[in-house]
Amino acid sequence: MTDEIFVGGGGPDYGTQQHLSLKYANRHGLVAGATGTGKTVTLQILAEGFSAAGVPVFLSDVKGDLSGLAKPGSETHKLHEAFAERAAKIGFDDYGYSAFPVIFWDIFGDQGHPVRTTVSEMGPLLLARLLDLTEAQEGILNIAFRLSDEEGLPLLDLKDLQALLVWTGENAKELSLRYGNVSTASIGAIQRRLLVLENQGGTGLFGEPALALSDLMRTATDGRGQINILAADKLMASPALYATFLLWLLSELFEELPEVGDPDKPKLVFFFDEAHLLFDDAPKALVDKVEQVARLIRSKGVGVYFITQNPADVPDDILGQLGNRIQHALRAFTAKDRKELRMAAQTYRENPAFDTEAAIREVGVGEAVTSMLQKKGVPGIVERTLIRPPSSQLGPVTAAERADLVAASPLQATYTNAIDRQSAYEILQARAEDAAKEAEKAEAEAEEASAAEREFNAGRRYSGTGVPRSTSRRSTRQPDTLGSAVATAVLKELKGTTGRRIVRGILGGLFRGR
Ligand SMILES: Nc1ncnc2c1ncn2[C@@H]1O[C@H](COP(=O)(O)OP(=O)(O)OP(=O)(O)O)[C@@H](O)[C@H]1O
Ligand SMILES: [Mg+2]
């Protein structure tokens, strides 16, 4: 196995091979460029390169054109000649076609294994962002999560959360005494937002079996890294769901993976396509958090690569951490474009052979201005690189081919069927049923008692055995069983503005338990 990935040919006549060093691949990267300039193919060849080097990859397939990774390219493909020519030009002598070990995932469960997480794993704060809640509504959600813990009502799927909100509403008065105003209007608003999420297909995301991160980090029997492809075509219709899901996945990786320092090669490479969606209208605190995750996740051996049209979409603090860069052509129509282009060019180490700014404007399709981290993690001098052609099929596999691949997947048995464990919804339903039965029983007993009384009063012989008189027993657990210590703790958490709470506040579970 090598210690680098072949990316393409640079220098005069594109004859100088350009590589991405695996040792620095966890120092993140950027693939940018205007539409149609070659970003997706670059993503494809990077995924191939990492996989071949034994590094598992996770990527989102926004336009559905990356499934071809599962199939070898073909000599009958219309671009076969063009690929061969390109390979020859850059001295890619052992270029050939091959398929890669791909696992398909799909939040909606249609085009791959369903990806699920539980409501409690996502946490109140990411969920609040997903639902676009106001501060007051977020406060209620926090209370609901706390009640879930205290009352032993696990929040696994969306109907658990719905049920808990209903219960919270029913007990709003008592709960308000402990937690401050639990407004039923706010609860109603959250319930409506949940409906929207359900309509967007969010129901499928929440439930069990939850995704095990280890299943994303597998290598095939031949030692190549598994390429995980998340179907994101339909998902893109709900940008918040898309961005929050990927952010959740990143924070889980960050939380669950052990420190590894600086490994010889990454444990996983994570491609974040349409990265601008993560940053559009994102509050500063969130951007700070992503910046922090990017910085810290490195030592867990995870490389994060952002793919976006314009590098200006990525906040400076984050851009500054993206060490490996493949910049395809940018257009410069407007004054703003030109300014952004100049700024983008300035972030590179000049190559005396050409002007970076002009090169970014001029590079052809499948060509890019590149800079990879070199020894000691120093950015390399910028190059004009002709990106190598893919070995797997350019363009998607057919729906039938995809279905066959999913059916043959080693993970098929693990994820296909949902499990509906006993959780908040079932427990609350059982409680309600118990309460109803109890009430019915009490009513019947009361009736019997008064009948007996009437019989007695009527002077007839009464032969019934021991009819209890005291009937109004309440068996349902009332919210007043909640310890006031908890209430104080929640209040503190809700009102607190310590650094730790802010940290927890942005990514929910991110710093769970710390
Ligand atoms: N490295 C490459 N080798 C050979 N052909 C390439 C390469 N990169 C791009 N091409 C050609 O250019 C076309 C467009 O590239 P690609 O789909 O990667 O663009 P894109 O930047 O992802 O576009 P969009 O923004 O529309 O998604 C490809 O279909 C292919 O024909
Ligand atoms: Mg593309």
Side-chain angles (χ1 to χ4, degrees), residues 40 50 88 91 113 120 131 168 172 197 201 270 308 314 317 397-398 406 479 493-494:
T40 300
F50 280 119
H113 304 310
S120 61
L131 296 173
T168 307
L197 179 61
F270 188 105
T308 191
V314 182
D317 289 348
V397 295
T398 65
V406 174
E493 183 162 340
L494 293 178

Side-chain angles (χ1 to χ4, degrees), residues 65-146:
D65 46 7
L66 283 163
S67 55
L69 277 160
K71 252 187 102 179
S74 157
E75 283 168 21
T76 60
H77 192 281
K78 64 178 194 293
L79 289 175
H80 169 66
E81 296 291 323
F83 288 175
E85 212 172 282
R86 184 180 277 253
K89 201 173 203 170
I90 59 177
F92 190 5
D93 297 332
D94 50 0
Y95 177 58
Y97 293 131
S98 59
F100 289 80
V102 164
I103 294 284
F104 292 108
W105 301 94
D106 182 4
I107 285 184
F108 306 111
D110 300 330
Q111 304 182 68
H113 304 310
V115 202
R116 302 185 190 93
T117 180
T118 60
V119 169
S120 61
E121 256 178 79
M122 179 150 290
L125 300 138
L126 265 188
L127 204 58
R129 177 162 156 81
L130 180 57
L131 296 173
D132 199 17
L133 301 186
T134 64
E135 214 170 294
Q137 293 158 1
E138 189 177 338
I140 304 275
L141 197 62
N142 274 305
I143 292 172
F145 269 73
R146 186 55 69 113

Side-chain angles (χ1 to χ4, degrees), residues 35-41 63 79 83 86 365-366 387-389:
T35 177
T37 53
K39 297 183 298 297
T40 300
V41 178
K63 291 196 181 144
L79 289 175
F83 288 175
R86 184 180 277 253
V365 172
I387 306 295
R388 55 154 279 207

Side-chain angles (χ1 to χ4, degrees), residues 123-195:
L125 300 138
L126 265 188
L127 204 58
R129 177 162 156 81
L130 180 57
L131 296 173
D132 199 17
L133 301 186
T134 64
E135 214 170 294
Q137 293 158 1
E138 189 177 338
I140 304 275
L141 197 62
N142 274 305
I143 292 172
F145 269 73
R146 186 55 69 113
L147 287 171
S148 144
D149 278 354
E150 291 309 312
E151 292 282 286
L153 299 167
L155 292 175
L156 304 181
D157 50 28
L158 289 185
K159 71 185 187 321
D160 289 330
L161 187 55
Q162 286 282 19
L164 185 59
L165 286 170
V166 169
W167 185 83
T168 307
E170 284 166 359
N171 297 287
K173 228 175 179 173
E174 294 94 321
L175 294 170
S176 290
L177 293 177
R178 303 192 179 276
Y179 300 121
N181 186 25
V182 174
S183 121
T184 45
S186 292
I187 294 176
I190 302 174
Q191 286 172 317
R192 284 191 293 279
R193 302 297 308 169
L194 277 176
L195 278 182

Side-chain angles (χ1 to χ4, degrees), residues 343-360:
M343 304 258 287
Q346 278 167 358
T347 60
Y348 290 92
R349 245 179 90 196
E350 286 274 347
N351 186 328
F354 60 88
D355 175 55
T356 311
E357 193 181 324
I360 296 178

